[in-house]
Amino acid sequence: MDVDKTKDVNKVKIDKFAQKTRAMDQRIAKLYENVIAMPVPAHAVPQALLELGTASQKLHHAIEELYQQNEQLEQTQEILEEQYQRYEELFEEAPDGYLVTDAQGCIQEANYTATKLLNVEKRFLVGKLMISFVALEQRQYFRDFLTQLSQHRKSQELIISLQQRGGELFDAALTVAVTYNQQGKPQNLRWLLRDLTDSRRGELALNKKDYNFSSARPLHKYSKREIIPLDPQTIWYVHQGLVKLTTLCETNEEVLVGLAVPGMVFGSYMTSLNTYQAIALSDTELVSISVFEIIASPSLSHALLPKINQRLQQTESFLVISGLRKVHDRLECFLQLLKQEIGETVVQGTRLKVRLTHEDFANACCTTRVTITRLLCKLKKQGRIYFDAHRYIILRNID
């Protein structure tokens, strides 16, 4: 390396200087011997020779200091070389692509990941313009982005389609920082390049309905009519069964505000109601998920989003039911909601998989149990509902 050559050159120069100094010492010693042999007073000339000797000693001390400084310089160069190699490895082996370009976007440096993403060897990539890898329809947008970069002192981000050399287009996230020269003009652009393809595939996987929330988490089992404990820092995921969610109105009467079916989430963290109760309407299995875990895990938060949306949609359906003026309309709307949430197709129609009491119907429809009993009997006489041998409701013509 050039650093090693520099070390050798410096050492040779110091050695040559030391040899010349030793040769000068020998000449001074010879001169001193000659003066001593001359018939002159002892105090006449030796003073000059002594001064030369003193100067020679100072030169020797200077040479020693040069050797020490050279050793320190070599140690410093070794440390710098190790750090350079370390940062070069970090640059080359980084999981994301890194590029350095001039202000016009001409590539000057590229790491291994960038060459793989763009499918170009480094020796062919250097000197190429970044815009040559941008999809044709987005190149003007990219030019405008480059033009505006010098106006911003902070890092800028860009989502754009890039095309591999001889390959397919892929969506990429670019983060670019500008470096400036002493005159304050843009000098270099430093690019961080990420392929969004894998992350989007991950998002699609998280959106699948068969995402396993119970993996590595224990199942909590509750029997029918058992009250489920609620923790403000916990969200429950329904793995199996049905959970009734209720609150109390001003008259201290129970109001049904939700039915958590399999695949749905609930918990006191998700409500602002002062009184909130969860009761299992069947043998139920739940998974406990900590709110802190959700906050710390973007992937888990993303997977829970459609589940929370499901609860929101059901809540709006309950609001629609409570807003209907006629009780029989509220009942039929509630039966339609049950058909959607817990209905299963049978020969006679749609069977509700869970038996709700008349009190449950009354709480959901904001009426009395007696009124519900009368309206259900009327629907049965009309042939619109039917009770099987196990007293489960079967809906026939409730559309």
Side-chain angles (χ1 to χ4, degrees):
M1 290 181 62
D2 292 340
V3 174
D4 294 328
K5 292 181 180 179
T6 302
K7 293 178 184 177
D8 295 337
V9 170
N10 291 338
K11 184 69 163 53
V12 169
K13 288 182 177 180
I14 297 174
D15 288 342
K16 286 182 178 181
F17 184 59
Q19 290 174 1
K20 291 180 179 180
T21 304
R22 285 193 293 271
M24 184 183 69
D25 287 343
Q26 292 175 359
R27 288 196 296 271
I28 293 173
K30 187 67 175 175
L31 181 60
Y32 187 79
E33 291 176 358
N34 293 335
V35 170
I36 294 298
M38 291 174 62
V40 294
H43 62 277
V45 179
Q47 182 62 34
L49 293 178
L50 291 174
E51 291 178 359
L52 284 174
T54 302
S56 176
Q57 290 179 353
K58 290 182 179 178
L59 282 176
H60 282 291
H61 289 310
I63 291 172
E64 288 298 325
E65 290 181 0
L66 283 174
Y67 276 119
Q68 292 178 3
Q69 290 175 3
N70 188 60
E71 289 178 0
Q72 293 175 355
L73 179 61
E74 289 179 357
Q75 293 175 358
T76 302
Q77 288 176 333
E78 289 176 359
I79 293 173
L80 291 174
E81 184 179 351
E82 291 176 358
Q83 291 180 346
Y84 173 79
Q85 291 176 349
R86 175 171 171 267
Y87 285 113
E88 187 177 31
E89 290 174 359
L90 289 174
F91 178 77
E92 286 294 337
E93 299 174 6
D96 295 318
Y98 284 94
L99 297 167
V100 179
T101 72
D102 61 15
Q104 288 71 45
C106 182
I107 298 173
Q108 298 172 335
E109 296 181 51
N111 72 344
Y112 176 75
T113 305
T115 63
K116 294 295 289 183
L117 286 173
L118 299 176
N119 195 29
V120 181
E121 292 183 24
K122 183 181 292 189
R123 57 195 178 102
F124 298 121
L125 188 59
V126 173
K128 293 288 190 301
L129 290 171
M130 280 278 293
I131 197 170
S132 64
F133 297 97
V134 177
L136 288 174
E137 62 275 12
Q138 297 185 8
R139 288 189 177 181
Q140 186 56 51
Y141 173 60
F142 185 77
R143 290 190 189 96
D144 296 338
F145 178 78
L146 280 180
T147 303
Q148 297 173 3
L149 270 178
S150 59
Q151 303 173 7
H152 303 280
R153 290 284 175 173
K154 295 182 179 180
S155 299
Q156 300 296 308
E157 295 184 356
L158 174 69
I159 305 296
I160 202 165
S161 294
L162 298 180
Q163 185 167 22
Q164 294 179 330
R165 184 58 52 89
E168 299 180 352
L169 288 170
F170 66 95
D171 290 332
L174 304 180
T175 303
V176 57
V178 185
T179 60
Y180 299 87
N181 58 23
Q182 294 180 348
Q183 289 73 37
K185 295 182 178 180
Q187 185 174 15
N188 296 109
L189 305 178
R190 299 177 181 179
W191 302 81
L192 171 64
L193 173 61
R194 293 190 182 96
D195 184 359
L196 296 180
T197 306
D198 291 338
S199 62
R200 289 189 175 179
R201 285 175 183 167
E203 290 176 4
L204 291 175
L206 287 173
N207 285 330
K208 291 182 179 179
K209 292 183 179 179
D210 58 355
Y211 181 87
N212 190 5
F213 285 92
S214 60
S215 177
R217 293 186 179 89
L219 290 175
H220 300 263
K221 298 183 180 181
Y222 295 94
S223 303
K224 183 179 180 180
R225 297 295 170 184
E226 187 175 356
I227 296 177
I228 298 168
L230 298 176
D231 184 340
Q233 300 303 327
T234 298
I235 288 178
W236 288 110
Y237 170 80
V238 182
H239 180 259
Q240 181 179 317
L242 182 67
V243 178
K244 178 176 69 171
L245 307 174
T246 63
T247 187
L248 296 177
C249 64
E250 294 179 354
T251 59
N252 209 33
E253 293 178 330
E254 188 179 79
V255 177
L256 184 64
V257 295
L259 291 171
V261 299
M264 193 178 286
V265 293
F266 69 93
S268 57
Y269 179 79
M270 299 170 58
T271 182
S272 61
L273 297 173
N274 294 327
T275 305
Y276 193 73
Q277 189 175 60
I279 301 175
L281 290 181
S282 64
D283 291 339
T284 301
E285 294 181 353
L286 304 177
V287 175
S288 173
I289 305 174
S290 169
V291 171
F292 299 107
E293 182 183 358
I294 298 171
I295 295 173
S297 173
S299 59
L300 179 59
S301 301
H302 192 88
L304 284 171
L305 184 60
K307 309 300 179 184
I308 297 172
N309 184 56
Q310 189 180 1
R311 275 285 298 120
L312 177 61
Q313 291 175 344
Q314 189 193 82
T315 301
E316 291 180 342
S317 297
F318 272 95
L319 287 173
V320 171
I321 292 172
S322 63
L324 295 174
R325 297 182 62 183
K326 297 180 180 180
V327 178
H328 68 83
D329 289 337
R330 294 201 291 269
L331 176 59
E332 292 194 13
C333 190
F334 181 58
L335 288 172
Q336 174 63 29
L337 177 62
L338 293 176
K339 178 182 178 181
Q340 175 183 325
E341 297 287 1
I342 58 174
E344 61 180 357
T345 302
V346 294
V347 176
Q348 301 90 339
T350 302
R351 177 177 179 267
L352 302 184
K353 293 185 292 185
V354 177
R355 286 192 304 180
L356 298 175
T357 65
H358 288 195
E359 190 69 31
D360 292 329
F361 278 98
N363 293 337
C365 298
C366 303
T367 187
T368 64
R369 183 178 59 82
V370 174
T371 301
I372 289 296
T373 301
R374 177 175 57 81
L375 291 175
L376 288 176
C377 289
K378 183 178 179 180
L379 290 174
K380 182 179 178 182
K381 289 179 181 180
Q382 293 173 351
R384 301 179 66 187
I385 67 172
Y386 168 78
F387 291 90
D388 66 8
H390 299 285
R391 301 298 295 170
Y392 286 93
I393 295 178
I394 297 176
L395 308 178
R396 286 179 171 172
N397 298 311
I398 301 295
D399 299 319

